[in-house]
Amino acid sequence: MTETGREGQIPAPETPTPRRRPPSVLALLLSGLLLGAVALIFASGRWRQGDQQKNTTAPLEPTSPLVFDPSAANASPLKLTLPVKEVSNPGYVGMDSCAPCHAERVNEFRSTNHFQTCREPEPARMEAGFGPGENRFETRYPDLRFEMDRQGDRFYQTSIRGTPIGDIRTSARIDLIYGAGDADEVLLSWKENGELFELPVARLTTTKEWAVSHFDPHANGEFSRPLTLRCFECHMTWFDYLPGSVNTYQKTGAILGVTCECCHGPAQDHVRHHADHPQETAPYAIVQPATLSRDRQTDLCVQCHGNYINAKGPALAYRPGEPLQDHYREVNSPYSEDDHVANQIKYMKQSACYLKSDTLTCITCHDPHTPTDNAHTAIVREACLQCHQPADCGEQPKLPESLRADCSGCHMPKRVKVNVNFQTADDDFVSPIHRFDHRIAVHEVARDEMLLAWYRQQPGETSRDEAQRLTRSLIDHWTREAESNEREYRFLAATAAIREAINIEKTPQLVERLKRLIALQVSYTDLWNEARHQMSGGRNADAIATLKKILAMRPTDAKAHGKLGLLYAMSGKRESAIQELEAVAKHDPEDPYGHGLLGWIAYLEDRPDEAIAHYQLAIEIEPYYDKLRHQMGLALVKLDRPDEALEQFNLALKINPDRGDTSQQIAMLLLQRGDVASALPFARHGVERSSGQELQPLIVLADALAAGGQPDEAASLLQRAAASNLQADPQTVRQLRSRLQRLQAIAPRDTQP
């Protein structure tokens, strides 16, 4: 499945390709070669206003003593504690715990799409396609195909790549299935280490065929991609995850599917209380959505049926009844093809029906406890009649009698939603979803489509002529829509418009136009795959050329501007880099990439105020991103604002407990103020996260030990580090030797060789 979404992660510094002349200081810093020196400067406390140096490569010695006076300690106003890499279940118990008192409701709910949105593979429920003759999918890459097989009660997906020495086969067990209803089933594989991946081949249930997501053909193995937290949240009730990881989850205790507690909250206390007090009928310790305000009721659905995808805090922290915006930031995508998988709320809130009502919510038309069936049209009509009468509709007299009862047909038409798309055996960028347009309005095109279907069923020349007129009018509408989209470089949206036209009447001209648009999107996708492949292989000059081709096709591509800006910066082309990075926010205000890298460049060039301004803009878009918080902390250190820096570092470490570099920064700031007791755990954590394979964390730990009155242990640690020949930049090696000499002078009996 291809889901259009965010990609603008701020990259770690990357190593530039070799050049004939020495690279600039900026390029070296971006490549990470001088980060150890930068950390050394922070440790020494030399970054002060009025005492900043342009050349950060010069060796700096610490100005503070190795042994601190505990009475001079200045404790941090923040409560700083090492992060815990465990997530505790706050009381989710699963739907079976609801059944003793709510058996009828639970049994009914088991047949809903919500309940089935994530499930384990069961032989009786698996789609056909795992047997010989129908279990093979040929990709558009000649040397790559996939096979789906069943072995007993287990199911597997195997990639087969042809090579000169024979086929390379990689099999993955199918452990979970996403999807419910008539759309698609996405297959997931859970590895022994807890990492969860989305496999590339999915099952389209409407057409009973295999289809493939748009994966990277330069990859290897399964060609899978990590299953991210925000995605998993919307298909599960509860799961334990590893904080800081992209896709590591605990199988034990996971509650699959969207079940009762997603809307009613964790039910452990509720279940225990009513088990102990069966005579009580008043609900205890449970959220009753009917008692919530309209906004809080709507939030229950919007947590997954909206573009609230940028986290403001840890996963699974939202509780029913709380404002959703306190936990997630809404991404305001300008076009529907850029929406999250489901974003009905955006369009519902644009409706006059919603704006003029105090009571209209999702459950006005949808009962979350019961499955959607063929009576849904009648249910929607009943909801409409709560506020509108048939006589209020000016189109009623113009419509045949059989169409007058179908309110949603005119006012909420079903449309191709191409933000989710697949490649099939004979087509590409195919959307299996036709979703109701939730912008309730007078859709004249939808009215004409309904009339066309009716006239085509009527006898007589008059009906035939009217059907032909409507056909020409509708095809003209959708082809104009496609042309407009293409002029705006919205190739996916253009394909969707042509597919709508083909739904009216399939003509050779429309088929050829669709093929041309698909070819454009294929070329665009292939260029991106090639650019990423070139960047990952360090072929930066080639990647720059490819990114320029992408921008020639689509000048408004914010991600291409961002990657090009990064590569220019790594090549020492500062002005070109800044120009491209500034273009990111211009073309996509929801992408933090440009501001993040502009902040990093400003930081490296000794402009911390400007760096902070960029980081604030990036953090506003991506609040819960550890790298942005860490880099913001570095800029605050330069401005001698340690308390604010500690706050940012503390949050970065909360988001990602594996950040040893952040622990080092916290330890160094605490040592500068003499808070040795607080610094030591962070210094040890920094060494643990680096597995003892880096010199800088060992030096920081030695400082903390010496400051805590353990100079002999500190010296011993540095002696072992010096003897281990760990790789480090020359300045860090000089710092280690200087530290060791001073420590040996303090405790010569225990440390002299």
Side-chain angles (χ1 to χ4, degrees):
M1 177 179 67
T2 297
E3 175 190 330
T4 304
R6 68 182 176 93
E7 184 187 299
Q9 300 290 337
I10 311 303
E14 298 175 48
T15 304
T17 52
R19 305 166 68 209
R20 290 183 179 273
R21 60 184 176 85
S24 66
V25 171
L26 171 61
L28 285 171
L29 284 168
L30 281 169
S31 68
L33 298 177
L34 297 181
L35 289 180
V38 174
L40 169 60
I41 296 167
F42 300 148
S44 67
R46 289 292 297 275
W47 280 116
R48 297 290 187 269
Q49 290 180 332
D51 187 25
Q52 298 173 351
Q53 302 184 22
K54 293 288 185 182
N55 183 1
T56 60
T57 62
L60 296 174
E61 286 299 318
T63 57
S64 53
L66 285 171
V67 180
F68 291 84
D69 177 6
S71 65
N74 178 19
S76 169
L78 284 174
K79 184 178 180 182
L80 297 170
T81 57
L82 284 173
V84 177
K85 293 203 67 172
E86 295 179 1
V87 179
S88 299
N89 186 333
Y92 289 95
V93 291
M95 199 166 67
D96 288 343
S97 297
C98 307
C101 297
H102 307 282
E104 183 177 351
R105 177 71 83 198
V106 167
N107 288 335
E108 185 178 40
F109 187 78
R110 289 186 190 279
S111 60
T112 65
N113 290 345
H114 279 125
F115 177 73
Q116 300 175 66
T117 195
C118 184
R119 63 187 187 276
E120 294 179 326
E122 301 174 21
R125 297 183 58 191
M126 291 296 283
E127 278 278 322
F130 287 88
E134 54 181 350
N135 67 332
R136 183 166 169 158
F137 184 86
E138 301 281 353
T139 72
R140 61 185 177 90
Y141 308 103
D143 297 325
L144 181 62
R145 68 184 188 275
F146 293 92
E147 290 181 358
M148 282 54 68
D149 299 289
R150 175 177 177 176
Q151 299 177 17
D153 287 343
R154 292 188 173 183
F155 299 83
Y156 296 85
Q157 185 174 127
T158 301
S159 68
I160 305 164
R161 182 187 279 280
T163 72
I165 60 173
D167 289 346
I168 298 176
R169 304 174 67 94
T170 305
S171 294
R173 186 181 63 227
I174 299 169
D175 296 300
L176 293 175
I177 300 172
Y178 267 8
D182 295 330
D184 56 89
E185 291 186 346
V186 175
L187 311 177
L188 311 179
S189 185
W190 217 328
K191 306 307 176 187
E192 294 303 319
N193 63 359
E195 291 183 341
L196 187 62
F197 292 88
E198 178 186 328
L199 298 175
V201 180
R203 186 71 175 177
L204 303 190
T205 57
T206 49
T207 53
K208 306 297 182 184
E209 63 181 325
W210 293 111
V212 71
S213 301
H214 294 91
F215 59 90
D216 181 2
H218 301 289
N220 292 303
E222 305 161 357
F223 297 88
S224 58
R225 61 181 178 184
L227 200 287
T228 59
L229 266 172
R230 191 67 186 105
C231 183
F232 213 31
E233 279 185 291
C234 281
H235 289 261
M236 302 284 280
T237 300
W238 167 257
F239 54 88
D240 189 354
Y241 65 95
L242 187 65
S245 70
V246 175
N247 63 322
T248 303
Y249 311 103
Q250 176 63 254
K251 295 181 183 180
T252 305
I255 302 175
L256 307 185
V258 176
T259 61
C260 311
E261 291 164 293
C262 290
C263 296
H264 295 277
Q268 178 176 280
D269 292 343
H270 173 79
V271 170
R272 287 177 176 174
H273 179 84
H274 286 285
D276 294 339
H277 305 85
Q279 73 283 0
E280 288 193 15
T281 57
Y284 174 84
I286 201 74
V287 174
Q288 293 180 282
T291 66
L292 299 177
S293 68
R294 179 169 83 152
D295 287 344
R296 300 293 79 81
Q297 280 188 29
T298 304
D299 282 349
L300 297 176
C301 304
V302 175
Q303 59 179 307
C304 292
H305 290 270
N307 268 16
Y308 285 81
I309 54 178
N310 285 1
K312 293 183 177 180
L316 298 169
Y318 167 73
R319 297 288 177 268
E322 297 176 347
L324 187 66
Q325 62 265 29
D326 289 352
H327 297 273
Y328 301 98
R329 180 186 173 277
E330 182 181 17
V331 174
N332 295 303
S333 51
Y335 303 120
S336 61
E337 68 268 24
D338 298 323
D339 280 341
H340 182 51
V341 171
N343 189 21
Q344 291 94 330
I345 187 61
K346 170 183 176 180
Y347 305 101
M348 185 179 82
K349 286 187 173 182
Q350 294 173 354
S351 306
C353 289
Y354 184 86
L355 295 171
K356 294 180 180 180
S357 169
D358 294 327
T359 58
L360 178 65
T361 66
C362 306
I363 60 174
T364 302
C365 297
H366 302 277
D367 183 350
H369 299 106
T370 60
T372 301
D373 54 25
N374 293 330
H376 187 66
T377 299
I379 294 172
V380 172
R381 175 176 167 77
E382 296 236 349
C384 296
L385 291 177
Q386 294 178 27
C387 298
H388 304 283
Q389 296 303 313
D392 297 334
C393 179
E395 296 295 321
Q396 285 271 329
K398 307 173 190 177
L399 295 175
E401 183 69 31
S402 60
L403 301 183
R404 294 176 184 176
D406 188 0
C407 300
S408 62
C410 280
H411 298 284
M412 296 181 65
K414 276 191 171 184
R415 293 294 177 222
V416 174
K417 291 298 181 182
V418 77
N419 57 328
V420 178
N421 57 76
F422 297 88
Q423 175 198 347
T424 65
D426 55 6
D427 203 349
D428 208 344
F429 301 99
V430 177
S431 173
I433 299 174
H434 287 69
R435 184 171 285 141
F436 287 105
D437 187 337
H438 278 63
R439 186 179 66 85
I440 309 166
V442 178
H443 295 271
E444 294 182 358
V445 170
R447 176 205 61 198
D448 288 351
E449 288 170 339
M450 292 179 63
L451 284 170
L452 173 61
W454 185 83
Y455 277 117
R456 282 176 171 173
Q457 294 176 350
Q458 307 309 309
E461 185 175 345
T462 301
S463 293
R464 184 169 61 253
D465 290 345
E466 183 62 12
Q468 290 175 352
R469 184 191 70 80
L470 287 169
T471 297
R472 290 192 300 271
S473 173
L474 288 166
I475 289 178
D476 285 346
H477 165 79
W478 287 115
T479 53
R480 288 195 304 270
E481 182 83 6
E483 290 167 358
S484 174
N485 291 337
E486 187 177 356
R487 284 195 298 270
E488 295 176 343
Y489 315 107
R490 297 171 56 201
F491 307 132
L492 269 180
T495 66
I498 293 299
R499 290 189 192 278
E500 296 283 8
I502 289 175
N503 288 339
I504 302 299
E505 184 176 61
K506 188 175 182 179
T507 68
Q509 294 83 1
L510 289 174
V511 171
E512 286 304 311
R513 181 170 289 191
L514 179 61
K515 288 180 179 179
R516 184 183 63 80
L517 288 168
I518 288 174
L520 272 176
Q521 186 66 30
V522 167
S523 177
Y524 173 77
T525 302
D526 286 347
L527 283 171
W528 259 116
N529 287 332
E530 186 63 24
R532 294 188 183 100
H533 181 58
Q534 290 162 342
M535 285 187 285
S536 66
R539 295 160 50 200
N540 292 354
D542 292 338
I544 287 173
T546 303
L547 288 166
K548 287 181 176 179
K549 291 179 182 178
I550 292 172
L551 289 171
M553 286 189 69
R554 192 179 183 187
T556 57
D557 191 326
K559 291 179 177 59
H561 283 292
K563 295 299 183 184
L564 191 56
L566 169 67
L567 295 176
Y568 279 149
M570 292 171 64
S571 303
K573 298 178 180 179
R574 178 187 180 280
E575 297 304 322
S576 296
I578 290 174
Q579 180 180 348
E580 295 298 333
L581 294 172
E582 288 176 343
V584 175
K586 173 185 175 182
H587 295 300
D588 185 0
E590 297 292 334
D591 191 336
Y593 195 99
H595 285 304
L597 275 180
L598 287 168
W600 187 233
I601 290 174
Y603 162 77
L604 296 173
E605 293 181 345
D606 255 353
R607 292 179 282 113
D609 285 308
E610 185 179 331
I612 287 171
H614 281 297
Y615 285 136
Q616 286 172 335
L617 291 170
I619 287 170
E620 184 179 338
I621 299 168
E622 192 83 50
Y624 205 65
Y625 184 31
D626 58 297
K627 185 168 289 185
L628 286 174
R629 296 292 183 173
H630 178 86
Q631 292 178 348
M632 177 79 145
L634 296 180
L636 288 164
V637 168
K638 279 194 175 186
L639 290 175
D640 197 18
R641 291 157 61 179
D643 289 341
E644 294 171 78
L646 282 171
E647 185 176 0
Q648 295 298 321
F649 289 140
N650 195 44
L651 182 52
L653 203 56
K654 176 184 176 182
I655 298 169
N656 184 0
D658 282 329
R659 287 204 74 112
D661 56 347
T662 303
S663 287
Q664 291 174 53
Q665 296 297 332
I666 293 174
M668 288 188 279
L669 285 172
L670 293 173
L671 285 175
Q672 286 177 14
R673 61 177 52 185
D675 190 355
V676 179
S678 298
L680 191 55
F682 288 97
R684 293 190 186 280
H685 183 259
V687 172
E688 290 170 2
R689 293 303 95 193
S690 70
S691 302
Q693 299 302 307
E694 299 175 19
L695 280 185
Q696 189 63 43
L698 294 169
I699 293 172
V700 175
L701 178 56
D703 281 354
L705 291 169
Q710 304 176 63
D712 52 346
E713 186 177 343
S716 176
L717 176 68
L718 292 183
Q719 280 184 328
R720 294 196 301 272
S724 64
N725 295 317
L726 294 177
Q727 294 295 318
D729 63 276
Q731 185 171 342
T732 304
V733 173
R734 288 194 298 271
Q735 185 191 19
L736 182 145
R737 291 172 179 168
S738 173
R739 286 288 204 283
L740 188 54
Q741 289 173 359
R742 297 175 69 181
L743 286 167
Q744 288 171 338
I746 294 171
R749 289 177 301 172
D750 297 329
T751 60
Q752 291 291 343

